[in-house]
Amino acid sequence: MTQALIVIDLQTDFCPGGRLAVAGGDEVVDAVNAMMAGHDAVVLTQDWHPADHASFAGNHPGAAPFSVTQMPYGPQVLWPAHCVIGTPGAAFHPRLDVDRADLILRKGFRAGIDSYSAFFENDRTTATGLAGYLRDRGVTDLTFVGLALDFCVAWSAMDAARLGFRARVVEDACRAIDLDGSLDAARKAMRAAGVVLA
Ligand code: VGL
Ligand code: ZN
């Protein structure tokens, strides 16, 4: 058994004061740092969007943030602009132990497709390459922590389970956006997908 810790989007824009702040997002940093030592591999994901990204409400005239639009690949929440490539908001939380990471995986860099999951973009077919990386390293067991529990953490963990990894989410080391019941829905969907909620 080879275990990897997958730290999802622990970035300044998702922490209090950021452009898409998740309540208490910064509270998980110390717990996440402490968990790194207990894993054979540590992967950080980094939400990484160009300024003209299609998931930003500001790029859809008249659209309100947190409304839902139809993309060629299906429904998509329109977010406030966040994690724009090269901006301070896209940086990792300053206390996150970035030096300990084996791999930093950036996602969401194609202007036309959002990417919640660390494995597949939101069209559900464009792969990020993470599955191949983990398999090549012989990793079998994945523990997910970070932000946000009901979006990027949940989508990543469910994809992991579907791809045949053992997938576990440590909820204490996550925080949620909770948009219109999204947290309850994500918990149910994760359990149904075979993800262990710890
Ligand atoms: C996320 C919304 C948009 C996340 C990323 O990390 O959960 N949510 N981009
Ligand atoms: Zn994003």
Side-chain angles (χ1 to χ4, degrees):
M1 173 171 99
T2 302
Q3 296 183 315
L5 183 69
I6 315 289
V7 181
I8 302 291
D9 299 359
L10 208 29
Q11 293 165 259
T12 303
D13 266 345
F14 294 122
C15 291
R19 296 218 264 175
L20 181 44
V22 180
D26 55 338
E27 295 168 3
V28 306
V29 175
D30 296 321
V32 168
N33 285 341
M35 290 174 76
M36 291 179 179
H39 290 82
D40 306 303
V42 175
V43 175
L44 310 180
T45 70
Q46 190 170 24
D47 213 37
W48 195 249
H49 301 310
D52 63 347
H53 198 253
S55 78
F56 293 169
N59 293 327
H60 299 259
F66 306 105
S67 64
V68 177
T69 192
Q70 280 300 320
M71 297 286 198
Y73 54 78
Q76 168 71 49
V77 178
L78 293 177
W79 303 104
H82 63 278
C83 299
V84 174
I85 293 172
T87 64
F92 289 109
H93 186 284
R95 260 195 352 268
L96 184 65
D97 189 2
V98 176
D99 289 353
R100 180 64 181 74
D102 300 334
L103 176 74
I104 295 173
L105 181 103
R106 289 173 172 165
K107 61 184 180 62
F109 50 77
R110 290 182 179 82
I113 317 179
D114 206 0
S115 189
Y116 295 157
S117 166
F119 294 96
F120 292 101
E121 301 193 8
N122 286 12
D123 62 2
R124 315 310 299 137
T125 55
T126 304
T128 64
L130 181 58
Y133 173 86
L134 294 170
R135 285 184 184 133
D136 281 354
R137 288 195 56 183
V139 175
T140 52
D141 290 55
L142 306 181
T143 298
F144 292 88
V145 294
L147 308 172
L149 174 57
D150 44 346
F151 286 92
C152 292
V153 175
W155 285 50
S156 298
M158 289 190 285
D159 276 349
R162 191 161 57 81
L163 289 165
F165 295 98
R166 263 194 294 270
R168 180 172 80 113
V169 171
V170 177
E171 288 203 52
D172 281 352
C174 299
R175 292 293 183 273
I177 295 173
D178 203 10
L179 182 67
D180 296 330
S182 57
L183 178 55
D184 275 348
R187 282 202 182 107
K188 283 199 188 83
M190 284 192 279
R191 283 197 198 96
V195 175
V196 174
L197 301 183

